[in-house]
Amino acid sequence: MKRIVIKSLKIFAITTGSILLLMFLLPILFPSKIELEIKKFANQKLNGELAFKEANLSFFNHFPSLTLSLEEFSLKGSTPFKKDTLVAAKEIAFGINLKHLLFKGDVTIDKVFLSDAFVNIKVNEKGEANYNVYNSESKTTTKDTASAKLRLDKIIIENTHLVYDDKATKILIDAQGFNYTGKGDLDKSIFDLKTEAHINDFNFTFD
């Protein structure tokens, strides 16, 4: 019995130690690759102007996910709102799929975390919106220069001020203290989305 207990403790210690070592080593081994692939993805897929102060790769910001965090992040809207801010946040973090990273060498974004943000959605009288910043039909590059892939299955938004100003339908929504979790296979054209939202202050105006 004593041998079994000691052997179990050894296995547990080795496993735990390996996991902790991996958590410290991965951000050291892959930082430039992940940051480069995210930048390529932004350049190829986003129509809006993107800016951030600093990038950090860590397991501990959104444990247990390996995330690339962009601090003081901002993203401008699409035409005709290119000068207006769509999203400004203290931090936006992209969760990296570990299985794809370790076994395929791919940087696949499967989670997005948005914290302390201002989301400013606008639609003009013609129905043109500022959120059409993601270009899914951009040209694919060769394998050498392929950028990160987007395979979202989870979105988490924390402590955010959300404004939806739609001039076409004459709807105005102003939500403060907006906290949201959405889960689903967002890569599919038709999917189920599990949603949980908590809002501290919500104002809805029609016409």
Side-chain angles (χ1 to χ4, degrees), residues 11-205:
I11 293 170
F12 176 76
I14 291 169
T15 304
T16 305
S18 300
I19 291 171
L20 289 172
L21 184 63
L22 190 66
M23 290 173 72
F24 280 105
L25 285 179
L26 277 177
I28 296 171
L29 295 174
F30 292 99
S32 55
K33 174 181 174 61
I34 291 175
E35 188 172 344
L36 179 64
E37 294 302 312
I38 296 289
K39 285 180 178 177
K40 282 183 182 179
F41 172 83
N43 289 333
Q44 292 173 7
K45 296 289 187 179
L46 296 182
N47 293 323
E49 180 186 335
L50 182 148
F52 59 92
K53 183 179 179 182
E54 188 178 357
N56 296 303
L57 184 66
S58 172
F59 273 101
F60 302 103
N61 289 349
H62 298 277
F63 183 82
S65 297
L66 174 64
T67 56
L68 179 71
S69 299
L70 307 181
E71 296 180 6
E72 295 185 27
F73 170 88
S74 70
L75 176 65
K76 302 285 187 183
S78 55
T79 305
F81 299 97
K82 285 198 168 183
K83 293 183 180 179
D84 298 325
T85 298
L86 172 60
V87 180
K90 182 180 179 182
E91 179 205 52
I92 185 169
F94 301 99
I96 311 301
N97 187 302
L98 273 180
K99 185 179 176 182
H100 285 214
L101 180 65
L102 293 174
F103 298 107
K104 296 182 180 180
D106 292 340
V107 176
T108 302
I109 301 165
D110 59 5
K111 298 179 185 70
V112 172
F113 303 86
L114 192 65
S115 304
D116 300 309
F118 174 55
V119 179
N120 185 33
I121 299 172
K122 290 186 174 184
V123 182
N124 64 17
E125 290 84 354
K126 297 178 182 178
E128 297 170 321
N130 68 338
Y131 53 78
N132 294 317
V133 293
Y134 181 65
N135 182 12
S136 60
E137 297 179 356
S138 62
K139 293 179 181 177
T140 54
T141 56
T142 60
K143 200 170 184 179
D144 301 358
T145 59
S147 67
K149 299 174 183 176
L150 191 65
R151 297 287 185 272
L152 278 183
D153 57 31
K154 193 171 188 179
I155 298 172
I156 296 177
I157 300 172
E158 296 176 330
N159 192 33
T160 289
H161 181 194
L162 171 69
V163 174
Y164 175 80
D165 186 5
D166 190 336
K167 304 292 186 188
T169 58
K170 298 181 181 179
I171 289 175
L172 174 64
I173 293 173
D174 191 338
Q176 304 238 20
F178 181 73
N179 297 278
Y180 170 88
T181 300
K183 297 178 183 178
D185 192 349
L186 308 184
D187 185 50
K188 294 180 179 178
S189 56
I190 299 174
F191 57 87
D192 292 324
L193 180 65
K194 280 189 175 181
T195 295
E196 183 179 347
H198 298 276
I199 305 168
N200 294 336
D201 186 71
F202 183 85
N203 292 293
F204 177 91
T205 307

